[in-house]
Amino acid sequence: MEPKNNFNTRRSFLKNITWGATGLSLGSTVLQSCAEVNAQSDISSVAATLKGNIGTTVTRKNIATMSADDPELQLLKDAIGILRKRSADWPLDPAGWSENGALHTKFCATTEFSYQVHYSWYVWPWHRTYLWTLEKKLQHAVREPKLALHYWDWTKKPGIPEQYQGGDSNPLYNDTRRVNPDDIIPFDFMNMGPALRARKFSTFGGYPFYKDGSEPQIDGMAEQSFHNNIHNWIGGEMAGFVAAGYDPIFYGHHGNCDRFWQAWLDADPDHQNPTDEEFLEKVFYFTDEKGKPIEIKVKDVLDTEKLGYRFEDLNFNSPDGDYNSREDLIVPSYEMVKASSVYNTSIEEEQKVQMLTKTDGNEVTQVRLKFERAKLPYMPYCSRVFFLFGNTEPSADNCKYIGTFTILPIVSAEEGKLEKDVYMHVEITKGIAQKIQNKEAIKVFFEPVQVRGRNIPDEPLQIEEITFELLT
């Protein structure tokens, strides 16, 4: 038996909420909508589910702004509690919390490369579908089609929101997290500006997937930076692909990443999703609200309104502010620079000219650092990246902060182990492009970042043959 819902909470919720798509009040329309949902609950068809969403668009909100007694938040907790109880009664219940978490493990922690959705352009549509199917399970659990997932806007609340705290009595709590309740995310971990300014989806969201191993797998700027950084900062189950889907904060974090995808599309009319058939026709495998297997194509999840949800807003905390306005405050440990390895870079002369041309009318442009990872001290590896100019001692004048990145494991299509080649998207200013054009010696320094509960090893990241590649 599933636990009874909090009917007083639900009554208050139904009294106050309105249709997101039509502005109509509830009343008899709710009964009709619920009947439609129940009538189609035996049909494991994406088309039927999408059709059933018409007129029932829900709004996903920033969980950090919701009060502790908010009826929408309580309904979400009730629904998660039901999914948890299902798993407690039967761990293999496909509509339970444990099996939902296992879906993430299967497609994100796998060394079966044909299943892996990271390190390519599939990462964001797969995770959108993952959140959407969970939302359907939660709605079905409490028989309420207006229940909405949430997002955690860490640019406005750069710490674990109290809604995720409170101990085991809170269904949103997870005791594996390594951070303290009052810890603050370093501001450079959340730098979304470069990804927002990425001109192409490949730079922003990842490159095509080559399951035959003919080309390297390359993740996009959003995944490499704030997505990976915050996963690692939280620690515990969130710091690895194997168990991240079991922590409820995963859905707040990825809800914000999903929101950022929409913000990127809205930021510039030239920002477009891929139109390649290989992208649009890709099939994902999930389970519906009753745990029945379903197949969903990428082309079916590119419009959140058609999926039945929208975001409360797309306003982040100045992700598109002046480049390096605060990053200038980030300087490396000069003693560490002297004691550690720095790496010479190479770039073709033609690329130098193109790079300066690209930045001539723009303050910034994106380039790609390519290097061979000879040895990685530990995983995940979080580091701040600096360019060092000239052959003088490192100082504030010749050390320029480029970005903060977390490197996660990459599986090989053929060998099933860590890939040696690493591709890192970075944004450079017009001034840096000019230095490169002037043939100033340029080196790269990786400074490991200390996060709570994990030690930085004495040995540095060892890499070889680092090169620049201008992104077209």
Side-chain angles (χ1 to χ4, degrees):
M1 292 288 291
E2 294 174 353
K4 294 182 179 180
N5 299 325
N6 185 327
F7 292 107
N8 289 331
T9 298
R10 294 195 62 231
R11 221 179 354 252
S12 175
F13 172 66
L14 293 172
K15 180 180 178 181
N16 290 295
I17 198 166
T18 58
W19 291 121
T22 63
L24 298 175
S25 61
L26 293 175
S28 60
T29 311
V30 169
L31 299 178
Q32 178 183 357
S33 175
C34 289
E36 291 172 353
V37 171
N38 290 334
Q40 70 182 38
S41 62
D42 291 328
I43 306 175
S44 296
S45 165
V46 177
T49 304
L50 292 174
K51 183 178 179 181
N53 280 330
I54 296 175
T56 59
T57 304
V58 301
T59 299
R60 295 185 183 174
K61 301 178 180 179
N62 182 9
I63 193 171
T65 65
M66 302 174 77
S67 63
D69 59 352
D70 189 310
E72 294 184 48
L73 180 60
Q74 185 57 52
L75 189 65
L76 176 66
K77 291 180 178 181
D78 289 346
I80 291 177
I82 291 173
L83 267 61
R84 288 189 184 278
K85 188 175 187 306
R86 288 175 182 169
S87 296
D89 293 341
W90 181 36
L92 298 181
D93 188 335
W97 186 258
S98 293
E99 280 300 286
N100 181 75
L103 277 173
H104 184 268
T105 305
K106 180 174 182 178
F107 292 101
C108 298
T110 180
T111 55
E112 286 289 335
F113 213 62
S114 59
Y115 286 176
Q116 179 59 257
V117 296
H118 281 270
Y119 324 115
S120 77
W121 59 3
Y122 294 136
V123 64
W124 299 124
W126 187 92
H127 282 84
R128 170 173 288 177
T129 312
Y130 184 50
L131 267 63
W132 177 70
T133 53
L134 174 63
E135 189 170 67
K136 291 299 164 190
K137 290 182 177 74
L138 296 171
Q139 290 173 350
H140 187 263
V142 292
R143 300 295 193 270
E144 180 47 70
K146 295 303 294 181
L147 179 149
L149 273 180
H150 57 277
Y151 59 86
W152 163 34
D153 185 349
W154 19 257
T155 69
K156 297 184 178 71
K157 173 62 178 177
I160 303 295
E162 62 180 358
Q163 290 81 355
Y164 291 111
Q165 301 180 37
D168 292 336
S169 61
N170 181 5
L172 303 181
Y173 175 74
N174 182 289
D175 65 1
T176 72
R177 300 169 194 156
R178 304 297 292 273
V179 291
N180 290 335
D182 56 352
D183 284 349
I184 300 298
I185 303 172
F187 69 85
D188 59 301
F189 277 39
M190 302 177 287
N191 187 5
M192 307 169 87
L196 187 70
R197 291 185 285 269
R199 298 181 181 91
K200 291 188 175 182
F201 183 89
S202 57
T203 308
F204 159 76
Y207 286 66
F209 181 85
Y210 299 99
K211 64 181 179 181
D212 60 357
S214 61
E215 298 289 341
Q217 297 307 129
I218 305 176
D219 44 350
M221 187 174 281
E223 183 178 357
Q224 293 174 338
S225 56
F226 57 83
H227 166 266
N228 289 356
N229 290 340
I230 292 174
H231 262 283
N232 187 40
W233 178 82
I234 294 171
E237 291 182 336
M238 277 288 284
F241 291 148
V242 173
Y246 297 101
D247 187 341
I249 206 170
F250 173 97
Y251 304 95
H253 174 43
H254 265 277
N256 206 38
C257 292
D258 187 43
R259 175 172 168 252
F260 186 76
W261 180 9
Q262 188 61 52
W264 178 79
L265 288 169
D266 288 1
D268 190 314
D270 291 334
H271 291 180
Q272 299 290 328
N273 291 319
T275 57
D276 311 59
E277 184 175 345
E278 180 186 2
F279 179 76
L280 298 176
E281 296 296 324
K282 170 68 175 179
V283 175
F284 297 141
Y285 301 94
F286 284 90
T287 55
D288 70 2
E289 66 274 10
K290 286 192 171 183
K292 294 182 179 180
I294 54 174
E295 298 180 357
I296 304 176
K297 291 184 177 181
V298 168
K299 66 181 181 182
D300 293 324
V301 300
L302 298 180
D303 187 332
T304 66
E305 294 279 346
K306 289 182 179 179
L307 286 176
Y309 73 91
R310 62 168 61 102
F311 299 103
E312 187 174 32
D313 64 61
L314 296 175
N315 301 318
F316 293 86
N317 189 12
S318 301
D320 58 343
D322 294 337
Y323 179 77
N324 273 355
S325 58
R326 296 185 66 196
E327 284 76 2
D328 283 339
L329 301 175
I330 302 177
V331 296
S333 167
Y334 300 127
E335 292 304 315
M336 184 179 292
V337 175
K338 295 175 184 177
S340 302
S341 300
V342 292
Y343 303 96
N344 294 313
T345 64
S346 63
I347 183 171
E348 300 293 333
E349 289 300 318
E350 182 181 353
Q351 289 264 301
K352 290 182 180 180
V353 175
Q354 292 177 358
M355 189 177 298
L356 189 61
T357 302
K358 291 277 285 188
T359 57
D360 187 48
N362 304 285
E363 289 302 315
V364 296
T365 192
Q366 281 89 32
V367 300
R368 195 165 63 198
L369 296 181
K370 176 186 176 182
F371 56 89
E372 181 177 310
R373 181 171 56 207
K375 188 174 183 180
L376 195 63
Y378 65 107
M379 296 294 289
Y381 185 88
C382 182
S383 66
R384 295 186 173 107
V385 180
F386 296 87
F387 284 177
L388 282 67
F389 296 98
N391 295 309
T392 60
E393 290 289 302
S395 67
D397 294 329
N398 65 2
C399 288
K400 297 299 180 183
Y401 169 79
I402 299 299
T404 303
F405 304 93
T406 297
I407 302 175
L408 297 175
I410 299 177
V411 295
S412 167
E414 298 178 2
E415 300 174 359
K417 62 181 182 182
L418 291 179
E419 194 71 69
K420 284 187 175 182
D421 288 339
V422 176
Y423 296 81
M424 183 177 290
H425 296 97
V426 301
E427 188 176 70
I428 63 171
T429 63
K430 185 186 297 185
I432 292 176
Q434 185 66 62
K435 288 177 179 292
I436 294 173
Q437 174 68 16
N438 293 340
K439 300 182 180 181
E440 291 189 34
I442 180 171
K443 299 180 181 181
V444 180
F445 171 65
F446 296 83
E447 182 179 62
V449 181
Q450 176 72 65
V451 289
R452 185 178 294 280
R454 284 148 285 177
N455 295 323
I456 296 177
D458 295 333
E459 55 185 319
L461 171 67
Q462 296 180 20
I463 64 176
E464 297 175 358
E465 299 180 4
I466 188 165
T467 60
F468 279 103
E469 294 179 355
L470 179 65
L471 298 176
T472 58

